Amino acid sequence: MVRRIGDVEGRDAVAAFVRAEDAASVDRTTLAFAVRYTLQLLAERAPGGTVEVRVPPFGAVQCIEGPRHTRGTPPNVVETDAATWLGLATGSLAWVDARASGRVHASGQRADLDGVVPVIDAARLA
């Protein structure tokens, strides 16, 4: 069982990322916490098992209602790096822009997070 990240420690980690000059200046532990916390928020905001969102090496969640995936490679996958994910999660990067720039790899008809992200208001963290 995965331990739920508390809101205070999760928000602190996301706030550290938001305040940083770039993702490389955030220590790995804080970056991992920020990614896992925002993935947790995504799964709570859009529960389900249709889309798997992967942010290697930090975490993955299944979300969005619809047909549930149970074995093997899921048909609907969104994968990106930590900085891109946190940009999407905080609203500093739009889904359409991330897709257009190739910073997000999305496969499957339902692999679309438009309207689901952002999951946290970065302005309230500063």
Side-chain angles (χ1 to χ4, degrees):
M1 181 177 188
V2 177
R3 180 181 77 88
R4 185 181 189 291
I5 297 172
D7 288 328
V8 172
E9 58 190 339
R11 287 179 187 275
D12 287 349
V14 176
F17 172 81
V18 169
R19 287 190 307 265
E21 302 258 337
D22 59 35
S25 66
V26 179
D27 70 87
R28 185 174 170 85
T29 301
T30 302
L31 189 63
F33 245 76
V35 168
R36 291 179 184 134
Y37 178 67
T38 52
L39 286 172
Q40 174 182 294
L41 293 177
L42 172 66
E44 291 170 358
R45 179 177 180 173
T50 297
V51 177
E52 185 167 290
V53 178
R54 299 174 181 168
V55 184
F58 301 115
V61 294
Q62 290 190 358
C63 58
I64 302 177
E65 289 185 17
R68 183 154 182 83
H69 161 72
T70 56
R71 290 196 286 182
T73 301
N76 300 291
V77 175
V78 172
E79 187 167 333
T80 192
D81 62 274
T84 301
W85 166 249
L86 289 170
L88 290 166
T90 61
S92 67
L93 177 62
W95 173 254
V96 67
D97 295 335
R99 287 294 312 270
S101 68
R103 294 174 64 185
V104 169
H105 302 284
S107 62
Q109 288 181 313
R110 297 176 183 260
D112 184 356
L113 299 181
D114 192 30
V116 180
V117 291
V119 295
I120 192 168
D121 184 0
R124 301 181 99 196
L125 298 172

